[in-house]
Amino acid sequence: NAGVTQTPKFQVLKTGQSMTLQCAQDMNHEYMSWYRQDPGMGLRLIHYSVGAGITDQGEVPNGYNVSRSTTEDFPLRLLSAAPSQTSVYFCASSLTGSLGEQYFGPGTRLTVT
Amino acid sequence: KNQVEQSPQSLIILEGKNCTLQCNYTVSPFSNLRWYKQDTGRGPVSLTIMTFSENTKSNGRYTATLDADTKQSSLHITASQLSDSASYICVVSAEGNNRLAFGKGNQVVVIP
């Protein structure tokens, strides 16, 4: 099993550009989520999904969209990048929702100039 | 207000020595508490899980304790190794809530 994979590893965007961060898992987990990690702060939940076709907002959803068309994939879209979105983004999946062990991807380091 | 507070924020320890990291939480109703290890440039990886009825759990040289009455947990690292240099994150789950409460992490640096 590859676990949770994320692409790209690094990305630089200009303000106003859009892009999609990819996340995939091969463990047949229903629960998937996106976090951002900033220096001096804990991981903050952006969006999450409890299964295909179902998504919900987390703590910091503004400026991000998600969709869940399959169990395996959970892409995160930045609609119009802003410098405040410079961060490291982690995708995670879990067999039993938020109560279960979260399996994190390797992260995407995004810089918006 | 952060529901999970960790201390110390950072510490440096000599290889072979022990250290203890603290986690205080206010999350309610409590479901479980996990400690994750995050190496630089990597995603967090789960070390231990503690439920309400558990007081101590070990994973190799890592031992976690939980006092559900005082809402405190600790992670003890025994005979530290250079590979223990990482951030250790305390994560608390609440019953009936799809969101986790994350601490900011304890940054541990082990020096030879």
Side-chain angles (χ1 to χ4, degrees):
Chain A
N1 286 351
V4 179
T5 58
Q6 291 184 238
T7 56
K9 182 75 171 173
F10 300 94
Q11 183 71 49
V12 179
L13 290 178
K14 295 186 185 301
T15 298
Q17 288 183 320
S18 62
M19 78 159 295
T20 299
L21 307 184
Q22 301 292 343
C23 174
Q25 51 91 10
D26 60 0
M27 297 174 283
N28 203 31
H29 288 172
E30 292 291 336
Y31 184 87
M32 295 186 74
S33 52
W34 275 103
Y35 294 89
R36 60 178 290 173
Q37 188 175 43
D38 301 294
M41 303 186 73
L43 286 152
R44 291 184 293 169
L45 181 65
I46 304 171
H47 286 284
Y48 67 96
S49 169
V50 299
I54 306 170
T55 63
D56 206 347
Q57 295 182 350
E59 180 184 356
V60 288
N62 292 341
Y64 308 94
N65 273 357
V66 292
S67 60
R68 185 91 180 273
S69 56
T70 67
T71 299
E72 294 78 19
D73 300 298
F74 191 41
L76 178 72
R77 282 183 289 277
L78 280 70
L79 309 174
S80 177
S84 62
Q85 294 178 305
T86 294
S87 187
V88 181
Y89 292 85
F90 289 99
C91 178
S93 74
S94 171
L95 182 63
T96 53
S98 63
L99 300 184
E101 178 178 353
Q102 305 298 307
Y103 292 82
F104 287 87
T108 294
R109 182 174 292 275
L110 175 69
T111 301
V112 183
T113 61
Chain B
K1 183 179 183 297
N2 198 346
Q3 299 181 74
V4 179
E5 298 287 348
Q6 294 186 241
S7 61
Q9 181 177 347
S10 62
L11 75 162
I12 300 173
I13 58 174
L14 289 173
E15 186 178 13
K17 297 296 186 182
N18 304 334
C19 71
T20 300
L21 313 176
Q22 300 290 342
C23 173
N24 296 339
Y25 63 92
T26 59
V27 174
S28 182
F30 175 83
S31 175
N32 63 57
L33 182 149
R34 293 181 185 269
W35 284 93
Y36 284 80
K37 179 187 180 189
Q38 185 176 21
D39 293 317
T40 300
R42 309 285 292 270
V45 176
S46 179
L47 288 174
T48 65
I49 176 175
M50 308 284 291
T51 58
F52 187 86
S53 59
E54 295 174 306
N55 300 116
T56 304
K57 185 168 286 187
S58 293
N59 178 0
R61 293 179 297 100
Y62 301 102
T63 299
T65 65
L66 175 66
D67 186 333
D69 292 330
T70 62
K71 298 186 176 181
Q72 296 180 325
S73 176
S74 66
L75 182 69
H76 186 76
I77 305 175
T78 303
S80 61
Q81 300 177 358
L82 298 179
S83 59
D84 292 329
S85 295
S87 177
Y88 294 84
I89 303 172
C90 178
V91 184
V92 184
S93 302
E95 288 286 354
N97 191 330
N98 273 318
R99 303 181 184 184
L100 300 168
F102 288 83
K104 296 181 181 180
N106 305 100
Q107 187 67 45
V108 175
V109 176
V110 181
I111 59 175

